Amino acid sequence: MTTLARGTDTLTRDALAVLQPGFTGTTAPDWLLRRLGEGLAAVGLFGRNITSPGQLAELTAQLRAERGDVLVAIDEEGGDVTRLEVRTGSSFPGNLALGAVDDTALTRSVARELGRRLAECGVNLNWAPSADVNSNPDNPVIGVRSFGADPDLVARHTAAYIDGLQSSGVAACAKHFPGHGDTDVDSHHDLPRIAADLRTLYDRELVPFRAAVKAGTRAVMSAHILLPALDPDRPATLSPSALNGLLRAPADQGGLGFDGLIVTDGMEMRAISAAYGIERGSVLAIAAGADAICVGGGLADEETVLRLRDALVRAVREGELAEERLADAAARVRALAGWTLGVGAEAGADEGAAPEVGLTAARRALRVTGTYRPATEPVYVAALTPVANIAVGDETPWGVGAELARLLPGTGTGSYGNPDGAAGGLSAMIANMLEAAADRRIVAVVRDVHRHPWMADALAVLIATRPDTAVVEMGVPQAPPAGALHIATHGAARVCGRAAAEVITGKGAGG
């Protein structure tokens, strides 16, 4: 293991310690290894860094050869947001599916198995689960990433998920504090504003985070959202009122009493970067009470790390950031690293693998409406495809086409986007769909019909023309069921598609 570089002072080491940067490639670049030797204590991994479990294990071993206690973090929610299986789709359904089943023992088992797989690959911090209450059905970025719209349901599953994940030796990170569920703006693109009063905040958004703290979550991730009732000027990530005053303060002072690591959401997201810039935003975040700066989803180079390191050092030297605050943040990072080496490592040894638990959960999460003769001949899958949100990305496959083609060879698939502005519009799109389907039955796959008028219109015309159409809703099932058969999967993970395909073909477990 490389020792800290000679001449690297404590302040600089602390500034590096609070960063959680990303990088490109499937092996660690030299600059990253060098900075680990100088005090960098954490690294964030994304889909671009992973090709297989074996490759990931080699990568994390390379990092640990440089610094044995490095925090290796990942954004692995299962469901729609997966990094381990970014090119195939996840083996685990996401939160909404687990909330639909509402079996906390199942949620714990799913999180436990996901954590076991992460731990096997050398990952010890997961930026999950989402503890957001999806109270706004038009939310463009949370949706199926939430356990649901009921605060108590979200709370009990957040706690179960944290328990399961951390029992595998992987630190959990409840997000996005103080709650991203009541937004109709994606903070990747702009700054969401939540008009809820403090009473609503305490009775709704904070209920799952209170449960997360009680369950012992090792980390909490802040949200880039503005809540004027809490702080009229700064988003939660940069707000002392949100982080020190609400998350850290003891219960008898109206806070949650959290004493673990506070991580920011990605600082290059436009809700922060467009208004403050990542350097100033990072200084303000640490000053407000954050302990770790997540950056690297978009900016993933050495220059970014050096810019942030130097901004933090300069802020201390110029009196804008208290040196004690930076030292405290760095100490919390190192304390979590110590947990992963001690309690965390021991926790992973007490239970065995449960490789099929994700499929079991996906099957149980299905909600099936209507009567439908099982398909025994090839079908045509028409995927009505919205623009993917950045958190999910567009590289992860979704739908039921691949699974139906496996069960019914000769099945075809077509993808159809918003026809507004295209030649012929909706009529031409439906005509193309019917021509491609020919005499095969149609399976229409949709996501969040209620949020996309063009999708609802297309589905109505299609069903009127072909009443035997089966509909698979892989988003939030807010719209009324439609079609001869309607299957709500509560998520678009690969296992959700497999479970739906089993129903469509009548080939269930063992079939």
Side-chain angles (χ1 to χ4, degrees):
M1 184 191 310
T2 300
T3 57
L4 295 176
R6 184 182 300 276
T8 303
D9 62 28
T10 299
L11 179 57
T12 302
R13 290 200 303 272
D14 285 351
L16 281 170
V18 302
L19 304 181
Q20 295 190 349
F23 61 94
T24 58
T26 55
T27 59
D30 289 342
W31 69 261
L32 183 66
L33 299 175
R34 186 168 61 253
R35 300 305 168 192
L36 286 172
E38 295 174 356
L40 186 68
V43 174
L45 300 181
F46 298 86
R48 62 176 179 248
N49 304 122
I50 301 168
T51 59
S52 69
Q55 170 270 324
L56 177 55
E58 290 178 2
L59 170 58
T60 59
Q62 183 186 15
L63 296 171
R64 289 205 167 82
E66 199 66 33
R67 180 173 184 136
D69 64 345
V70 63
L71 286 172
V72 181
I74 199 169
D75 194 6
E76 180 58 55
E77 300 177 15
D80 289 28
V81 180
T82 179
R83 310 306 179 211
L84 281 182
E85 300 177 279
V86 65
R87 292 167 187 82
T88 61
S90 182
S91 301
F92 303 92
N95 285 1
L96 188 64
L98 297 172
V101 178
D102 196 13
D103 179 345
T104 54
L106 179 66
T107 294
R108 183 189 185 279
S109 295
V110 166
R112 164 78 192 186
E113 176 62 17
L114 188 150
R116 187 190 65 79
R117 296 188 193 184
L118 290 174
E120 278 190 345
C121 296
V123 175
N124 54 13
L125 171 59
N126 191 8
W127 294 318
S130 168
D132 304 297
V133 179
N134 197 49
S135 54
N136 186 343
D138 291 327
N139 196 310
V141 68
I142 300 301
V144 297
R145 300 168 66 197
S146 166
F147 290 110
D150 176 73
D152 292 329
L153 179 144
V154 176
R156 61 180 173 265
H157 286 278
T158 295
Y161 194 104
I162 289 167
D163 183 40
L165 186 65
Q166 294 188 165
S167 74
S168 70
V170 176
C173 181
K175 61 186 183 185
H176 307 80
F177 181 84
H180 208 312
D182 190 22
T183 63
D184 56 11
V185 171
D186 184 346
S187 53
H188 290 89
H189 301 297
D190 206 345
L191 177 62
R193 177 188 175 98
I194 295 180
D197 58 26
L198 285 178
R199 186 71 267 158
T200 301
L201 184 70
Y202 275 92
D203 291 345
R204 187 178 63 189
E205 272 74 17
L206 293 183
V207 174
F209 288 99
R210 198 175 293 115
V213 172
K214 186 177 181 180
T217 187
R218 308 305 302 185
V220 170
M221 178 177 283
S222 66
H224 305 329
I225 55 176
L226 186 69
L227 294 99
L230 188 61
D231 188 325
D233 301 315
R234 290 184 177 175
T237 293
L238 311 183
S239 170
S241 297
L243 302 186
N244 269 331
L246 185 59
L247 184 52
R248 287 276 190 233
D252 60 7
Q253 297 178 22
L256 274 62
F258 179 62
D259 193 40
L261 189 78
I262 299 177
V263 185
T264 72
D265 207 345
M267 295 301 286
E268 64 267 59
M269 293 164 63
R270 289 192 60 78
I272 298 295
S273 63
Y276 300 90
I278 62 168
E279 293 100 325
R280 176 153 178 77
S282 296
V283 169
L284 291 174
I286 297 295
D291 305 306
I293 301 296
C294 177
V295 65
L299 300 173
D301 52 26
E302 183 178 21
E303 180 186 358
T304 298
V305 172
L306 298 181
R307 283 167 58 196
L308 297 184
R309 179 201 66 183
D310 294 347
L312 291 166
V313 170
R314 185 168 55 250
V316 170
R317 289 177 174 163
E318 294 178 355
E320 186 180 3
L321 174 64
E323 185 172 1
E324 295 79 6
R325 169 78 275 270
L326 180 61
D328 173 65
R332 291 181 189 275
V333 173
R334 297 178 188 123
L336 179 56
W339 178 86
T340 65
L341 289 176
V343 177
E346 294 174 5
D350 63 350
E351 293 182 33
E356 294 298 311
V357 70
L359 179 58
T360 298
R363 287 168 174 160
R364 290 182 62 186
L366 297 183
R367 298 295 178 265
V368 181
T369 306
T371 57
Y372 182 87
R373 176 173 49 85
T376 57
E377 301 293 331
V379 298
Y380 182 74
V381 179
L384 304 181
T385 307
V387 176
N389 77 60
I390 291 177
V392 175
D394 57 10
E395 59 186 334
T396 302
W398 66 283
V400 299
E403 291 297 333
L404 283 172
R406 180 179 64 82
L407 296 172
L408 301 172
T411 288
T413 302
S415 180
Y416 302 86
N418 188 342
D420 295 349
L426 177 62
S427 298
M429 185 180 80
I430 296 296
N432 291 337
M433 193 183 298
L434 294 173
E435 181 180 359
D439 59 352
R440 292 175 292 186
R441 293 165 78 177
I442 295 177
V443 176
V445 183
V446 296
R447 284 170 94 161
D448 293 345
V449 168
H450 67 284
R451 292 201 304 113
H452 303 287
W454 71 267
M455 195 182 294
D457 292 344
L459 199 58
V461 173
L462 177 60
I463 291 171
T465 307
R466 295 284 295 269
D468 63 343
T469 295
V471 177
V472 181
E473 168 63 86
M474 305 195 84
V476 178
Q478 188 77 15
L485 174 72
H486 185 275
I487 304 173
T489 62
H490 301 92
R494 174 169 52 86
V495 285
C496 298
R498 177 175 171 181
E502 291 173 348
V503 171
I504 292 168
T505 61
K507 298 179 180 180

